[in-house]
Amino acid sequence: MSRLTGKKIFVTGGSRGIGASIVRTLAAEGAQVIFSYASREDAAREVLSKLPGEGHLIYKMNLCDEGNIEQVFREVSEKLGELDGLVNNAGVTKDQLLLRMKSEDFDMVLNANLRGSFLVTRAALKGMLRARKGSIVSVTSVIGQTGNAGQANYSASKAGLIAFSKSVALEVASRGIRVNCVAPGFIATDMTETMTSDARDNVMKRIPLASIGHAQDVAQSVLFLLSDESKYNTGHTLNVNGGMYMN
């Protein structure tokens, strides 16, 4: 039997990159996956069309719109019942040095990455608390642990997500619900493909394993934390960074 057979799991931002890899991995392990997208419906439907298993769903969802989030989770609950898992994966960046950063860009990143995860987690938790079971995994970042020049807003949002997850883990542990994080390091994406060779070399010097990670590396860690194999893990941040940051 696959590790997630019979489980219903919601993934935010599942139409591309790390999110799409997470969606495919969970479906391959037997989960019924519900995932959201922000604007690229074509990309979301492409991912959906190739998933193994049946009953998977997609929803357009705005992480900054509380009403939209509540509506989506209400519809999911009416169609499928209580969720077994949640992956807070969706996020945005708006990089700039602090003295040049616009206030609205700082707010936008915090609202989407941190407040959005709060709204989604709160919506998903209602059913999990009734069922007295569930696993929540938030995808944060090594940048939330180390900081990075030009990413004060993104770093703050991801560091906040780690602290948020620890607090929620303490609140819901007695109900059989686990809350953990996965913190990716330098992962091969469309963005890293456009980096100059000098920029790539500078990053590689900071990675003890001397290799770039892949989306599947992150997906496998998320799978572990959603599965019963990690039933004694909560309030933990699992680093997937090749040794770039150790704690």
Side-chain angles (χ1 to χ4, degrees):
M1 181 179 293
S2 298
R3 286 182 278 181
L4 299 179
T5 298
K7 293 185 182 294
K8 300 181 289 288
I9 300 174
F10 195 107
V11 180
T12 66
S15 64
R16 61 189 179 89
I18 290 173
S21 185
I22 291 171
V23 167
R24 287 191 289 265
T25 299
L26 303 186
E29 286 291 336
Q32 182 179 3
V33 184
I34 310 95
F35 67 96
S36 71
Y37 64 94
S39 59
R40 290 285 308 279
E41 183 177 355
D42 57 336
R45 292 201 174 278
E46 176 71 12
V47 173
L48 180 67
S49 68
K50 296 180 180 179
L51 294 180
E54 298 179 347
H56 310 299
L57 299 171
I58 59 171
Y59 284 91
K60 183 175 183 179
M61 194 167 74
N62 181 351
L63 289 176
C64 297
D65 187 335
E66 181 174 353
N68 175 221
I69 291 170
E70 290 289 341
Q71 179 184 357
V72 167
F73 277 87
R74 190 161 49 245
E75 290 183 18
V76 171
S77 178
E78 290 171 355
K79 287 183 178 180
L80 304 178
E82 315 304 355
L83 292 170
D84 298 286
L86 168 69
V87 182
N88 287 309
N89 168 73
V92 299
T93 59
K94 196 70 175 180
D95 299 347
Q96 184 57 271
L97 295 174
L98 184 66
L99 291 181
R100 297 176 183 174
M101 185 176 291
K102 297 178 181 179
S103 298
E104 54 265 34
D105 290 341
F106 185 89
D107 291 344
M108 184 267 287
V109 172
L110 267 291
N111 281 335
N113 295 358
L114 185 54
R115 185 173 183 272
S117 294
F118 151 68
L119 293 172
V120 169
T121 300
R122 187 178 65 181
L125 262 179
K126 295 174 183 178
M128 291 182 183
L129 289 168
R130 287 192 293 268
R132 302 184 70 89
K133 64 176 182 177
S135 178
I136 298 170
V137 180
S138 292
V139 180
T140 177
S141 171
V142 67
I143 301 305
Q145 299 167 310
T146 65
N148 195 42
Q151 290 191 299
N153 49 4
Y154 182 75
S155 179
S157 72
K158 293 300 187 178
L161 190 52
I162 293 173
F164 168 80
S165 298
K166 290 179 179 179
S167 296
V168 178
L170 289 170
E171 292 182 16
V172 300
S174 64
R175 299 293 187 92
I177 302 167
R178 300 180 295 108
V179 186
N180 294 286
C181 292
V182 170
F186 191 57
I187 305 298
T189 62
D190 293 341
M191 182 179 68
T192 59
E193 291 299 318
T194 64
M195 293 178 67
T196 65
S197 58
D198 286 345
R200 184 183 293 266
D201 289 344
N202 286 334
V203 172
M204 293 294 288
K205 291 176 183 177
R206 299 165 55 194
I207 305 174
L209 287 181
S211 63
I212 297 174
H214 297 279
Q216 187 62 22
D217 298 321
V218 181
Q220 289 294 332
S221 295
V222 171
L223 168 62
F224 168 70
L225 290 173
L226 288 171
S227 75
D228 292 338
E229 293 173 0
S230 62
K231 63 183 181 180
Y232 204 54
N233 292 73
T234 197
H236 177 69
T237 297
L238 178 55
N239 296 331
V240 187
N241 61 31
M244 191 174 179
Y245 173 81
M246 302 180 186
N247 65 337

